[in-house]
Amino acid sequence: MNTPATATAGPRIVAHELIRTLVAFDTTSRESNLALIHWVRDYLAGHGIGCVLTFDDDKRKANLFATLPAQDGNATVGGIVLSGHTDVVPVDGQPWDSDPFEATLVEDRLIGRGVADMKSFSAIGLALVPELLRRGLTRPLHFALSYDEEVGCIGVRRLIADIAARHIKPSGCIIGEPTGMRPVVAHKGKRSFRCRVRGHAAHSALTPLGVNAVQIASELVVFLSQMARRFRERGGFDAAYDVPYTTVHTGVMRGGTAVNIVPRDCQFDFEFRHLPLDDPDELLAEVKRFAATLVPEMHAVDPATFIEFEQLSSTPGFDTHGGSEITELGKLLSGAHEFGKVSFGSEAALFHNAAIPTVICGPGHIAQAHQPNEWIALEQLELCDAFMRRLADRVCTA
Ligand SMILES: [Zn+2]
């Protein structure tokens, strides 16, 4: 499948067709990713490489872990993991100018859902498999493809548990999230929550008899906005991050049914992306303390009203300072002189906490991810391709 693109059609990297193939699978997190996983499984099988799949409870989604063993047969110790998530964020409601699931070349950009976040990295790594096998490896090289990263780094936890159970001990992991091919050794933590407000419905001519859930929820959202402003203006700050302070954000809000009904229900989803120095438990506690001040007035009308919070996801922060073999390798392969820190979360902390030192380094930029017309510059694909080739030169015997 990894035939070179034609002269008129595209970038000068062999992975071009493989990127197009992976993008063509609609792996929006709510969908099954099995078609993509099975394609990669068959691709690797075509090169004599087996895979281990770990599934979600419903067997609708799977992680894939595959090992290219060293020439001496070592498949477990001291290898390098190339890690990418297979899922992408929804395109619903976004004004795309082309089919999001058909990677489209426009001038010096490839456009499509997942081209930056983060199918290109996985494709460029996979495209190199025939060459790696031909040249022979001095140490194992592993591919780790996960599901449900975008909804809280859920899938990879099972993949990591599985490789530990099978006594596979990689010496490091490279996660190809879009960093502009800059090695990144720290990222913020993320917690997301759903808040449900139960009010009391009434005819809108008789508002004092109701408890307006939309208005209560709005007060909470405004409180979150005020917290966001406080962090932006007063910190704490860590200038090494692209956004150098903790951010607070409401992403979804739903409530009410008609303008002439005092709404009974409203819910909204919000998140904290916190610097290591800010404690996410304390941030939530602050919101809950404010919520508690709204409740007496609600209960005065109807004791059944409430405000409740549910945690949707938790991605631990990742805060290392380099210094491991894999971080130095990330620097060497990318040609960077220093490490970066980023605001978006990733699976890095989960690998790191499982004693697998990790660096994040992948093509494209996070600013172009999750957007309509998500794109990646061909130059970034070429830099990633060069990175992988330098990796091959270091891990191959010939
Ligand atoms: Zn990602």
Side-chain angles (χ1 to χ4, degrees):
M1 294 298 287
N2 55 332
T3 48
T6 63
T8 52
R12 295 170 292 279
I13 60 166
V14 295
H16 182 60
E17 276 307 307
L18 226 152
I19 295 171
R20 288 177 53 83
T21 300
L22 297 191
V23 168
F25 293 106
D26 176 359
T27 51
T28 306
S29 305
R30 63 175 174 244
E31 305 290 345
S32 167
N33 74 338
L34 289 180
L36 182 151
I37 290 292
H38 290 160
W39 189 91
V40 174
R41 181 192 63 189
D42 294 346
Y43 165 82
L44 290 170
H47 296 289
I49 300 298
C51 299
V52 171
L53 307 189
T54 42
F55 291 87
D56 71 342
D57 287 342
D58 302 330
K59 294 249 189 307
R60 282 182 70 235
K61 300 173 185 175
N63 303 301
L64 179 150
F65 190 81
T67 300
L68 279 56
Q71 262 187 340
D72 63 5
N74 171 21
T76 53
V77 180
I80 292 173
V81 181
L82 298 179
S83 167
H85 61 82
T86 61
D87 60 322
V88 294
V89 294
V91 297
D92 308 340
Q94 292 188 338
W96 283 74
D97 297 326
S98 57
D99 179 350
F101 299 105
E102 185 179 334
T104 307
L105 194 63
V106 178
E107 295 172 0
D108 58 350
R109 295 176 177 185
L110 196 60
I111 298 169
R113 175 55 88 225
V115 292
D117 187 11
M118 55 167 292
K119 289 176 169 174
S120 295
F121 175 84
S122 304
I124 291 169
L126 288 167
L128 217 57
V129 166
E131 180 183 330
L132 294 166
L133 292 173
R134 185 164 35 80
R135 293 172 66 182
L137 293 164
T138 56
R139 59 201 287 191
L141 194 76
H142 310 282
F143 287 94
L145 302 183
S146 64
Y147 66 87
D148 280 356
E149 188 273 351
E150 294 287 4
V151 289
C153 297
I154 293 166
V156 76
R157 297 168 204 248
R158 293 186 179 198
L159 182 148
I160 291 171
D162 173 71
I163 62 179
R166 292 190 292 124
H167 305 292
I168 296 171
K169 294 189 168 58
S171 68
C173 174
I174 302 171
I175 297 181
E177 290 279 359
T179 66
M181 291 312 297
R182 202 169 55 115
V184 161
V185 295
H187 67 61
K188 291 178 179 174
K190 176 187 158 185
R191 294 274 184 95
S192 66
F193 302 92
R194 176 159 297 159
C195 175
R196 287 192 191 84
V197 179
R198 168 65 51 84
H200 184 94
H203 192 294
S204 65
L206 304 170
T207 53
L209 301 182
V211 176
N212 189 317
V214 167
Q215 288 178 193
I216 301 280
S218 300
E219 289 191 62
L220 287 157
V221 171
V222 168
F223 184 80
L224 291 166
S225 304
Q226 287 165 346
M227 286 177 77
R229 196 171 290 119
R230 184 182 82 213
F231 285 115
R232 191 178 70 215
E233 290 170 358
R234 287 188 262 147
F237 297 106
D238 181 341
Y241 284 88
D242 44 0
V243 179
Y245 47 86
T246 292
T247 57
V248 185
H249 151 90
T250 304
V252 182
M253 190 171 192
R254 290 195 187 89
T257 53
V259 73
N260 57 359
I261 300 173
V262 174
R264 186 182 82 140
D265 289 298
C266 186
Q267 69 176 49
F268 59 95
D269 298 349
F270 64 101
E271 64 172 30
F272 304 121
R273 291 181 184 251
H274 60 93
L275 292 178
L277 55 89
D278 288 317
D279 174 4
D281 291 328
E282 178 47 38
L283 299 180
L284 181 65
E286 186 180 340
V287 181
K288 283 184 168 173
R289 282 196 296 274
F290 175 70
T293 67
L294 303 173
V295 171
E297 207 180 341
M298 298 164 67
H299 280 180
V301 178
D302 178 358
T305 58
F306 59 80
I307 301 171
E308 66 180 17
F309 295 88
E310 172 198 355
Q311 181 167 297
L312 298 178
S313 73
S314 168
T315 305
F318 169 60
D319 187 28
T320 68
H321 304 280
S324 64
E325 187 213 354
I326 198 71
T327 55
E328 291 306 312
L329 191 63
K331 232 191 220 177
L332 205 72
L333 300 179
S334 64
H337 299 294
E338 54 192 29
F339 297 123
K341 299 182 178 185
V342 292
S343 299
F344 61 90
S346 84
E347 297 166 342
L350 298 166
F351 280 101
H352 182 80
N353 293 343
I356 303 172
T358 297
V359 66
I360 310 168
C361 188
H365 296 282
I366 200 71
Q368 284 122 37
H370 299 204
Q371 299 278 344
N373 301 324
E374 175 177 345
W375 59 273
I376 190 165
L378 297 188
E379 185 201 12
Q380 284 289 313
L381 297 177
E382 288 163 5
L383 284 174
C384 183
D385 189 59
F387 177 99
M388 290 289 185
R389 287 176 188 286
R390 284 193 284 271
L391 174 64
D393 289 343
R394 289 189 68 86
V395 299
C396 287
T397 55

